[in-house]
Amino acid sequence: MKIKEFQRILEDKGQDFALFYNLGMEINPNMLYFSGYNGLGALIIPRKQKPFIIAPRMEVEKAKKSMIKRVYSMDKKRFFESIHTIIRKNKIKAKKIAIDNNNFTLNIYKRFKKQFKGVKTKDISLDCLKLRQIKTNKEIQIIKKAFNYGNKILNKTINNFKDFKTESDVSGFLEYETKKHGLDVAFSPIVASGSNASMPHYEPQNVKLKKGFCMMDFGVKYKGYCTDCTRTIYVGNPNNKEKTIYNFLLNVQKSIIKDIEVGDNCGKIYESCVKDLKNYSKYFIHGLGHGVGVEVHELPNLTLNSKDKITENMVFTIEPGIYLPRKFGMRIEDTVLMQRKPVILTKVPKGLL
């Protein structure tokens, strides 16, 4: 995606090429974004020449199925030495190299500098994040398909909820259904029942589902793109006060989404939410939302003092919550595609069930 736009950034910053790598099980999001390849190896994007992948022999066939058609074989044990050799063969200048500091560990950097002596490096991570926050039409089609899967799985989980006994039953079902569709989860599902729901990032346990509000935060990954959705249901029968609090939060969330316009400042949207929550604002203990793409947390940031602005073709979450320590918690999260008006991608009922 957006290789030419990225090469213009390299040109503007006077960089000879950008180097992205993946050496472990954790996928480098920028390497995936620019190439569609999530295997071992490196992606080289020269300032003017066509990009290419350098991959171990066992990964070459997989790499050739990516968006990058130039693929070279390498010796994984001589990782940066192989990269250096191939760059020289392609007659690419290597005095100024753009790297992604967010995905370049200190140990790897030391190994890199041993091979690329005397080069100057420049962090390109923020430029990548900014480039990724505006989705292309191709990305939007993939993301919509991803949400079709995510919505289907979460709806099925809610419809079968009476069959579950424990929090881990619910999270296990979400993961099983995801794998059944040939997908991966975007993150470990959160299933927090009763007083456990007062912790926004609680990890589900093999404990009996507690009576009260039960929060489920879930997402899938399809063709490298993530989904994100949170729904709060009720185990047992809610009393009138509990219904009132939930419906109050729901109305705040709906109002925020309805009022978002292109050009809005993300920090101001957050401040508006805090104001709308009134006396409950002190129990709202996290940001209002974040971008979603090849990573589940991307730009824009809808947080206090954020200077990010809403632009067409951004994909981001709106997820206000209320958390009373050791008592209960609730969060309602939708992911929105910004067109002329916000389009909700999370097609899962929000009424208290």
Side-chain angles (χ1 to χ4, degrees):
M1 300 290 179
K2 296 188 179 180
I3 293 286
K4 288 182 180 178
E5 292 94 325
F6 183 65
Q7 286 176 319
R8 282 197 289 271
I9 292 170
L10 294 177
E11 183 77 40
D12 291 343
K13 293 183 179 291
Q15 301 301 297
D16 298 318
F17 65 88
L19 185 158
F20 303 99
Y21 75 89
N22 185 24
L23 276 175
M25 298 300 290
E26 207 164 306
I27 295 167
N28 182 315
N30 290 319
M31 188 166 164
L32 174 66
Y33 178 77
F34 289 119
S35 69
Y37 174 64
N38 62 3
L40 299 174
L43 170 66
I44 306 298
I45 305 179
R47 188 167 61 192
K48 292 181 178 178
Q49 294 174 235
K50 288 185 177 180
F52 53 88
I53 291 171
I54 306 170
R57 284 179 62 191
M58 66 177 182
E59 297 273 36
V60 167
E61 185 179 354
K62 179 180 179 181
K64 285 181 177 178
K65 292 181 179 180
S66 73
M67 293 183 285
I68 307 298
K69 299 310 171 191
R70 290 174 69 199
V71 179
Y72 296 91
S73 179
M74 69 177 295
D75 182 350
K76 188 186 171 187
K77 291 180 181 178
R78 297 163 60 241
F79 189 76
F80 286 113
E81 188 178 339
S82 297
I83 292 170
H84 191 267
T85 300
I86 292 165
I87 284 170
R88 277 192 309 174
K89 282 183 181 178
N90 279 274
K91 298 179 180 177
I92 298 170
K93 194 176 174 184
K95 291 188 176 180
K96 295 180 179 180
I97 303 175
I99 63 172
D100 172 11
N101 281 3
N102 288 346
N103 293 283
F104 223 105
T105 68
L106 183 58
N107 283 338
I108 294 295
Y109 186 75
K110 287 177 181 177
R111 287 168 56 188
F112 161 78
K113 288 292 280 185
K114 276 185 181 178
Q115 191 61 49
F116 288 86
K117 293 184 175 73
V119 305
K120 291 183 178 179
T121 60
K122 189 171 188 66
D123 179 28
I124 206 82
S125 57
L126 184 58
D127 299 276
C128 292
L129 284 168
K130 287 180 177 178
L131 202 59
R132 281 163 38 196
Q133 71 178 337
I134 311 294
K135 275 41 179 184
T136 65
N137 289 335
K138 183 179 178 182
E139 286 180 281
I140 288 169
Q141 292 310 308
I142 294 171
I143 289 167
K144 283 181 176 178
K145 188 74 181 287
F147 275 94
N148 286 342
Y149 283 117
N151 295 339
K152 184 178 179 181
I153 293 166
L154 192 50
N155 276 314
K156 186 173 181 179
T157 304
I158 291 170
N159 291 337
N160 287 276
F161 201 85
K162 64 181 184 302
D163 297 333
F164 306 127
K165 305 297 182 190
T166 66
E167 292 175 346
S168 57
D169 283 346
V170 184
S171 62
F173 185 83
L174 288 164
E175 294 193 51
Y176 171 75
E177 288 294 318
T178 302
K179 288 293 183 186
K180 208 164 79 170
H181 284 87
L183 309 174
D184 290 321
V185 290
F187 52 91
S188 295
I190 295 170
V191 180
S193 63
S195 58
N196 295 335
S198 68
M199 296 174 273
H201 284 169
Y202 171 82
E203 294 179 5
Q205 307 292 317
N206 188 26
V207 294
K208 187 177 178 181
L209 287 164
K210 296 181 179 183
K211 287 186 178 181
F213 294 107
C214 180
M215 213 163 51
M216 293 180 290
D217 192 344
F218 167 70
V220 303
K221 187 171 278 194
Y222 169 73
K223 291 190 175 180
Y225 284 81
C226 302
T227 72
D228 196 4
C229 179
T230 303
R231 290 295 181 261
T232 299
I233 65 174
Y234 199 92
V235 179
N237 296 307
N239 59 40
N240 288 335
K241 185 179 179 181
E242 289 168 325
K243 289 178 186 176
T244 299
I245 297 171
Y246 180 86
N247 288 326
F248 170 75
L249 180 65
L250 178 59
N251 288 332
V252 168
Q253 198 251 9
K254 285 180 176 179
S255 177
I256 292 164
I257 294 173
K258 181 174 172 288
D259 291 343
I260 292 173
E261 294 182 351
V262 172
D264 282 354
N265 174 278
C266 291
K268 297 292 184 187
I269 298 171
Y270 171 86
E271 288 173 14
S272 178
C273 174
V274 171
K275 185 179 177 182
D276 290 347
L277 285 170
K278 299 177 182 177
N279 292 337
Y280 287 107
S281 63
K282 61 185 174 183
Y283 302 115
F284 176 39
I285 53 178
H286 53 68
L288 177 60
H290 53 83
V292 179
V294 290
E295 291 184 283
V296 77
H297 289 126
E298 298 192 342
L299 294 180
N301 288 316
L302 288 90
T303 53
L304 181 66
N305 299 326
S306 173
K307 290 180 171 54
D308 297 341
K309 289 189 180 296
I310 299 298
T311 306
E312 271 196 55
N313 292 347
M314 278 184 170
V315 175
F316 54 90
T317 67
I318 295 293
E319 48 182 301
I322 296 172
Y323 309 90
L324 269 69
R326 297 177 297 281
K327 291 184 179 179
F328 69 82
M330 59 179 79
R331 179 167 68 250
I332 305 168
E333 176 185 26
D334 282 315
T335 300
V336 171
L337 165 65
M338 195 66 201
Q339 308 271 246
R340 274 188 256 179
K341 292 184 177 181
V343 177
I344 296 174
L345 299 173
T346 35
K347 308 289 187 185
V348 183
K350 292 191 279 189
L352 188 61
L353 299 171

